[in-house]
Amino acid sequence: MKGLSSFVLPDHSVVKRDIIRPEELRQPDYLKNYDRRTVFYDCFRVGRELVFIAPPLLNLKDELLAALQKAAGGHARLRYFARDRTAEIRLKTRAERLEVPFGGVTQTIIPQVTDYPLFAGRRVMLTQSKNNDPQWIADSFQFHAKNHGANALLIYDNNSDRYTPTELEAVLKNRFPGDVMKVVDWQFPFGAVGGPHKKWDSDFSPYGVLNHARFRYLAKARSVLQGDIDELVLAEDGNRSVFSAAERSLFGFIIFGGHWICEATTREETQPRRHCDFVHVAAQPDVFNTPKWCAAPWRIWHGSQWKIHSIANSRGSQHHTPKFGIRHFRAITSWRADRAITRPIQTDDRIDQALVEAMARAGLFQEVNDAPT
């Protein structure tokens, strides 16, 4: 993977990560999707330390930590942080190259450099994506740029086969030449999802992404909005910036929920769908319980963790603000077949007027059609 210094055990390795979920709680595809071979995702330098971002080490921990110290000369200071579904290792060394003996193989690791200057002082959208339409990605960024002041986009592309990360990045840079566009080639298994027992313990990759983004790219960003391409954030009490609110917040971050946007549309199914084709909510909006967050990295202490739906181990992590809300689009996604279905507008559907106004400010209707009334 270009731009990452990773360590993945070969298929034939006798050493593999232990399986953590009891057999009786595994869905049929659990073992197929479980990541047993990724030792660490990346190694990069931060000051005098090398930082390794990894999945949970479990049974690999003792041997790997010993191997890293040996590779650094045997007496290097090492710090280890176990987090939910991800791990972080910090090794104090001036070495510019490590020969890491582990699992019966020796891996040459040349540490990457941190990309702090790229995002320093920027208001960054952070997202994970697989095969999302580049137009959807562009629309999402344009919406948050015009309504909230986003001026940088950091995407972790997880095994897309519709385009390469380089091709996607080129499209976005061409569309937004004045802003920072970065696509990370992240070719690791997503992991096993919760399954029928809703046991969320084995989806390592998305947690590794957030840990990696935090410490390699975004430590000096002004603020970061974490979410998905099918989610647009609105100010519920006027045209306010979610980034500004996070920067000024009591705890250095804000957390907010939202509601679903119906798959109702008048657009012809033969035409490519866009966010602005979907502006209706049910008479009683369908609320979802998976919040997202916006944070100022420089105000978040190291012992906390950036998670999908919270900033864990931080004061204020249970406080959700009503001042911002997500509009979650049922019909905009690349990985859920059941969300590819649209339906006609029904009599009890109503237009989400705040969403329409925000889309109009972003100029999205001008590219497609007139705004609904």
Side-chain angles (χ1 to χ4, degrees), residues 119 141 151-153 169 172-173 176 179-183:
F119 293 98
F141 179 76
N151 55 16
L153 175 61
E169 185 173 288
L172 294 170
K173 285 182 174 180
F176 304 102
D179 299 305
V180 172
M181 300 285 129
K182 175 69 177 179
V183 180

Side-chain angles (χ1 to χ4, degrees), residues 46-233:
V46 177
R48 297 181 179 181
E49 293 182 314
L50 295 182
V51 179
F52 301 80
I53 304 299
L57 295 182
L58 305 176
N59 58 304
L60 309 182
K61 175 186 171 183
D62 291 345
E63 182 182 344
L64 177 63
L65 298 188
L68 292 177
Q69 280 200 310
K70 179 179 179 181
H75 302 288
R77 179 193 180 200
L78 185 147
R79 296 187 291 160
Y80 173 71
F81 303 90
R83 306 182 188 275
D84 182 13
R85 282 166 273 186
T86 185
E88 172 193 348
I89 305 164
R90 290 181 174 252
L91 181 67
K92 188 174 181 180
T93 176
R94 297 182 181 276
E96 298 180 356
R97 178 190 183 100
L98 296 178
E99 299 293 334
V100 182
F102 179 78
V105 298
T106 298
Q107 180 79 27
T108 301
I109 300 296
I110 300 176
Q112 301 288 323
V113 297
T114 54
D115 293 80
Y116 293 167
L118 185 63
F119 293 98
R122 294 276 180 170
R123 288 173 162 173
V124 186
M125 280 183 60
L126 169 62
T127 191
Q128 305 177 44
S129 177
K130 179 176 182 178
N131 285 330
N132 277 301
D133 188 328
Q135 184 64 65
W136 294 350
I137 299 172
D139 284 352
S140 177
F141 179 76
Q142 183 169 319
F143 179 93
H144 291 98
K146 297 295 185 181
N147 284 285
H148 298 282
N151 55 16
L153 175 61
L154 176 58
I155 298 178
Y156 281 72
D157 186 88
N158 190 214
N159 292 297
S160 290
D161 54 21
R162 292 183 56 189
Y163 42 71
T164 68
T166 300
E167 290 169 343
L168 176 60
E169 185 173 288
V171 168
L172 294 170
K173 285 182 174 180
N174 184 64
R175 175 76 178 269
F176 304 102
D179 299 305
V180 172
M181 300 285 129
K182 175 69 177 179
V183 180
V184 179
D185 186 8
W186 193 261
Q187 297 180 30
F188 303 101
F190 181 89
V193 297
H197 297 282
K198 301 186 185 303
K199 182 72 172 174
W200 290 92
D201 57 2
S202 303
D203 51 332
F204 302 149
S205 177
Y207 289 82
V209 161
L210 295 181
N211 215 19
H212 186 263
R214 178 185 183 185
F215 294 118
R216 177 165 172 185
Y217 292 105
L218 301 178
K220 296 186 182 300
R222 184 175 178 185
S223 47
V224 177
L225 173 63
Q226 190 270 142
D228 296 326
I229 295 303
D230 60 356
E231 298 169 340
L232 303 181
V233 178

Side-chain angles (χ1 to χ4, degrees), residues 167-323:
E167 290 169 343
L168 176 60
E169 185 173 288
V171 168
L172 294 170
K173 285 182 174 180
N174 184 64
R175 175 76 178 269
F176 304 102
D179 299 305
V180 172
M181 300 285 129
K182 175 69 177 179
V183 180
V184 179
D185 186 8
W186 193 261
Q187 297 180 30
F188 303 101
F190 181 89
V193 297
H197 297 282
K198 301 186 185 303
K199 182 72 172 174
W200 290 92
D201 57 2
S202 303
D203 51 332
F204 302 149
S205 177
Y207 289 82
V209 161
L210 295 181
N211 215 19
H212 186 263
R214 178 185 183 185
F215 294 118
R216 177 165 172 185
Y217 292 105
L218 301 178
K220 296 186 182 300
R222 184 175 178 185
S223 47
V224 177
L225 173 63
Q226 190 270 142
D228 296 326
I229 295 303
D230 60 356
E231 298 169 340
L232 303 181
V233 178
L234 269 67
E236 302 288 16
D237 59 350
N239 186 19
R240 301 172 66 242
S241 166
V242 69
F243 295 103
S244 178
E247 293 155 13
R248 299 178 182 181
S249 65
L250 178 62
F251 303 108
F253 62 90
I254 56 174
I255 299 175
F256 39 86
H259 61 253
W260 290 94
I261 295 298
C262 296
E263 60 272 42
T265 182
T266 57
R267 193 165 175 77
E268 295 293 332
E269 193 62 33
T270 56
Q271 296 176 292
R273 64 183 65 184
R274 303 274 290 275
H275 289 79
C276 57
D277 297 326
F278 304 94
V279 295
H280 288 81
V281 293
Q284 295 295 323
D286 186 5
V287 176
F288 62 94
N289 60 357
T290 51
K292 294 297 172 67
W293 51 263
C294 186
W298 44 280
R299 294 188 58 200
I300 308 299
W301 76 295
H302 179 267
S304 68
Q305 181 183 352
W306 291 11
K307 299 178 70 172
I308 306 299
H309 305 297
S310 68
I311 305 289
N313 302 322
S314 287
R315 292 178 58 207
S317 60
Q318 302 302 316
H319 177 69
H320 294 189
T321 177
K323 295 182 179 181

Side-chain angles (χ1 to χ4, degrees), residues 142 146 274 358-368:
Q142 183 169 319
K146 297 295 185 181
R274 303 274 290 275
M359 285 182 167
R361 283 194 295 270
L364 296 184
F365 293 119
Q366 297 174 14
E367 300 180 8
V368 179

